[in-house]
Amino acid sequence: MVLTGYPISRRRVHGGAQRVMCDVCQRITELGWTCVVLQNDRWRSPVDPGADLVTVIAGHATRICRWGASEDADGPASDIVGHMLSADVVICVDRFPGSFRSGGKRILMLSNLAYDNERVAARAPGWDAIWVPSPYLREEVLRHRSPHLPPVLPTIVPPALDMAGMPESPPPGLAPVPRSHRLLFPHRVDPGKGLMSAMALLGRLVARDPRWHLLVLGSDAGEPAARSFLELAKGAAAANGIEPNLEWLPWLAPEAVRPLYQACDATLIATVLPEGFGLVALESIAAGTPVLAAPSGNLRSLASSFPSIRLVPDINSEAAAELAGSLLALPVLRPEAELACSLFHPDSQRRAVQAALANLKLPA
C-alpha cells in the first residue's frame, strides 16, 4: 500500500520524488507483490504527528489504483483503514499522513528534507523503516531524528536510471539555436529550484552573445503557488529583456527529456534546496551533456564521482557564465556516461528494494 499526496502513475508525474516512487512500485511488482496506490491531495501539506489519518483526509477524495491498472477509483476515508489493515507493508511518500493502525510494516519513503512535510515525517514516531535515495540523506535523517525516538537506520534505495528506448531527436518547434548556446533548466517551477538564478545567468550570457537560450520545463504548472511564481518569473524576464531568449516547455515525461539534454550545451541545476539525490544531473551525464550545478546536498557527492558535474558557488556569477560557455568543449566521455547507467541501473534498484523488504523481517 502506497500513500501519496501526488499522483505517481506513469500517466501523471509531479516531480522527481514521484518518478522515483513510480520505479519503486514497478520493482515491487516485479518481485511478485501487489502494489496499491492511494492518493489524496490533503497529504500535500504537513500533517501534525498527533492527528488521526481518517480525520485528516475526511472530505478529500482518495484515489485508489492498483499499480499497473489503467484507471483510478475514488473511495471514502473509511475504506483506507481496511486497506491498511490488510496490507503487509504501507509506504508513505515524503510525508506523515496522520496516525494510523496497520496490519503490517510502516515505511517512510523520503526523497529530501527540504520541505516541512518531509521534516515532520522524518521526526514522526512509528516508522518501522525509512528508505532514502543516498548516503547523504541518510546522514541528514539521522541528524533530524530525535534521540528519544526508537532508532531507525535509514535504508538506501537509490533511483533507477533507464535511458534505453528514449528518443534521440528533440521535439519540433525549438528555436533554431546552436547547441553551444542553449542551456536546459530541467526542474519543475518552484522558487527553491533556482529559476531566478538561472535566468540571471542567462542575462549575463545574452549580454555577451544574444544567441543564448534557456529551455525551462514545467510551464504548465497547475497549482496556484506554482502559477503565481511562473508569472513572476515571466515578468522578471520581460523586465530584464531576456524573454525572447527563454523557451517555456510543459512538464514532459522522462522519456521525452533525453533529447532535450542532448540539444543543450549544459544542464543547469541552480537549486537553493539541499538536493537529496540529484537525479537530473545523472540523467544529463548519461545523455552525454555536462552539468553546471550549485554545490547543494548530494550534488557534492555526485560531482566527486562524475567529473562532468561541475559545481559553482554562485550560479549568477561571471565565473558561472565563463564555465557555461566552455562546457561544450568538455564533453562527457563514454566511460563516465556508462558508469552512471551501470551504477543506477533498474537491476541495481531491484536488488536494493528486495534487500530493503527483506530487512523488514515480514512473517512468512
Side-chain angles (χ1 to χ4, degrees), residues 169-175 249:
S169 301
L174 296 184
L249 301 179

Side-chain angles (χ1 to χ4, degrees), residues 122-305:
R123 292 193 293 264
W127 302 120
D128 295 297
I130 299 175
W131 293 358
V132 296
S134 65
Y136 160 78
L137 195 59
R138 178 172 59 188
E139 295 304 314
E140 286 296 294
V141 170
L142 292 175
R143 194 166 62 84
H144 275 75
R145 293 276 291 177
S146 168
H148 303 295
L149 291 172
V152 178
L153 180 64
T155 300
I156 297 174
V157 177
L161 188 63
D162 188 1
M163 307 297 281
M166 292 190 178
E168 299 290 337
S169 301
L174 296 184
V177 178
R179 178 183 176 184
S180 58
H181 287 76
R182 180 184 279 130
L183 298 172
L184 175 64
F185 183 84
H187 298 288
R188 67 180 185 273
V189 177
D190 182 315
K193 293 296 186 179
L195 177 57
M196 291 299 193
S197 294
M199 288 166 46
L201 174 61
L202 176 65
R204 290 180 182 274
L205 292 168
V206 169
R208 300 177 177 201
D209 188 330
R211 291 180 296 173
W212 277 98
H213 272 60
L214 177 67
L215 293 179
V216 180
L217 293 181
S219 62
D220 56 346
E223 296 188 355
R227 290 198 303 270
S228 296
F229 177 68
L230 181 61
E231 291 306 312
L232 181 67
K234 288 184 175 182
N240 293 317
I242 58 171
E243 176 63 26
N245 302 85
L246 282 156
E247 297 182 63
W248 305 96
L249 301 179
W251 188 256
L252 300 173
E255 59 270 16
V257 178
R258 182 180 185 179
L260 293 182
Y261 289 123
Q262 295 172 327
C264 294
D265 171 50
T267 297
L268 192 58
I269 303 178
T271 179
V272 298
L273 300 172
E275 289 292 311
F277 185 80
L279 180 58
V280 292
L282 273 187
E283 285 184 334
S284 183
I285 297 303
T289 299
V291 175
L292 185 62
S296 173
N298 194 58
L299 290 169
R300 293 185 178 93
S301 177
L302 291 179
S304 69
S305 299

